Amino acid sequence: MPTDWLLIDGSSLIFRAFYGVPRTVVAPNGAPINGARGCIDNLARLITERRPAHLALATDEDWRPAFRVEALPTYKAHRVAEPVPPELEPQMPVAWDVLRAAGLAVIGAAGFEAEDVIASIVARVTGRVEIWSGDRDLFALVRDPDVTVLYPERGGLAVVDEAEITRRYGIPGRSYLDFAILRGDPSDGLPGLRGVGAKTAVDLVRRHGDLEGIIANTRLDGPALEYLAGARRVVAPVADIPLDLPDCAVPDAPADPRRLAALGADWGLASAIARLTEALARRAAG
């Protein structure tokens, strides 16, 4: 079934492409272009498979926003030395230029991450929304029957709805945010509540419903309460960014064919761009 909206976590998409496509894929000038090529190819595949009426790719304009670091200083601290691989960083604007020339919306917001952009779009649109991301933080946005996450795994895309969250974690489908805060996530520098692992987090959510219930019905000390207050600001995607939302309708054909041709020639992306153009045409044909 075609979806009304397909929202893409751009950083997740291009990072996975960078590590999944051989670095021997280079532009005519010899610079690596594997991440951009894989990103474009994967997006073409998603358009073909999901047939969205609207599409927006969200970018990380700030991968470690100050408000999150202020709330929790350990947030992504281990990534400070190299937040983006040096070979990938120059490929990102190339990929975004290709998508814009194709007529697809690429949206970022100063001071915010892609997950915040996605949450803010979800809060403003109607219809069926699918979110593509390899970041489980976006499971917090799942809402039956309207919002699901397409989560890439080895076997393909897992469609994560509330029932799937319950199957995976044993918690109510809309409780992922509370569960993640309690359990923590080392990949984001989120320590979790001291002494609480996944099993205990599940038990706490089942018994008390949410963080408010846990705070009201358990004996938490000052540091624990301080952590929970900060973690809420860190983990919850911001859903009220004042975005200037552009026209996100998926075009039937590229918006700027001349620009696309130039990018294809300059960066050795002609074949990937052709596949993206074909995907747009197939979607339009039904």
Side-chain angles (χ1 to χ4, degrees), residues 212-233:
E212 285 72 20
I214 292 167
I215 291 170
N217 294 288
T218 60
R219 295 180 179 179
L220 298 176
D221 59 18
L225 293 172
E226 183 179 352
Y227 164 74
L228 291 179
R232 285 179 178 181
R233 294 185 62 199

Side-chain angles (χ1 to χ4, degrees), residues 14-38 82-91 267:
I14 200 166
F15 265 77
R16 283 179 171 268
F18 178 73
Y19 290 110
V21 176
R23 300 187 193 186
T24 52
V25 175
V26 296
N29 65 3
I33 202 66
N34 58 319
R37 179 178 293 183
E82 187 180 295
V84 180
E87 291 181 336
L88 174 59
E89 190 167 10
Q91 298 185 48
W267 294 100

Side-chain angles (χ1 to χ4, degrees), residues 23-254:
R23 300 187 193 186
T24 52
V25 175
V26 296
N29 65 3
I33 202 66
N34 58 319
R37 179 178 293 183
C39 175
I40 297 164
D41 279 340
N42 287 338
L43 189 56
R45 190 174 303 114
L46 283 168
I47 290 171
T48 298
E49 293 175 354
R50 312 313 298 186
R51 293 184 290 156
H54 302 84
L55 183 149
L57 183 140
T59 63
D60 284 320
E61 295 304 299
D62 189 338
W63 63 274
R64 196 169 183 249
F67 72 90
R68 288 194 165 103
V69 176
E70 180 182 352
L72 193 69
T74 59
Y75 182 66
K76 293 186 178 178
H78 59 295
R79 303 186 198 177
V80 171
E82 187 180 295
V84 180
E87 291 181 336
L88 174 59
E89 190 167 10
Q91 298 185 48
M92 299 174 86
V94 174
W96 309 157
D97 281 350
V98 167
L99 301 187
R100 290 189 181 100
L104 298 171
V106 178
I107 307 172
F112 292 96
E113 297 179 75
E115 64 186 52
D116 303 313
V117 173
I118 289 172
S120 296
I121 295 174
V122 169
R124 292 174 58 173
V125 303
T126 58
R128 185 163 169 257
V129 179
E130 294 182 334
I131 301 167
W132 187 100
S133 180
D135 185 348
R136 289 176 298 180
D137 286 353
L138 285 163
F139 288 1
L141 300 180
V142 167
R143 183 183 69 238
D144 288 350
D146 301 318
V147 184
T148 57
V149 171
L150 306 176
Y151 186 68
E153 297 181 317
R154 285 189 177 182
L157 283 181
V159 178
V160 179
D161 56 10
E162 292 188 35
E164 179 63 12
I165 289 175
T166 299
R167 187 190 71 80
R168 288 179 180 234
Y169 303 107
I171 56 175
R174 298 195 186 186
S175 297
Y176 183 81
L177 182 68
D178 293 338
F179 168 73
I181 288 171
L182 294 166
R183 180 199 58 186
D185 186 348
S187 67
D188 279 342
L190 188 69
L193 196 61
R194 185 175 179 180
V196 174
K199 185 175 180 180
T200 304
V202 168
D203 182 61
L204 287 169
V205 169
R206 282 178 171 176
R207 290 174 59 190
H208 303 295
D210 55 21
L211 291 184
E212 285 72 20
I214 292 167
I215 291 170
N217 294 288
T218 60
R219 295 180 179 179
L220 298 176
D221 59 18
L225 293 172
E226 183 179 352
Y227 164 74
L228 291 179
R232 285 179 178 181
R233 294 185 62 199
V234 168
V235 178
V238 178
D240 57 358
I241 300 173
L243 291 174
D244 183 13
L245 194 62
D247 180 7
C248 297
V250 177
D252 297 345

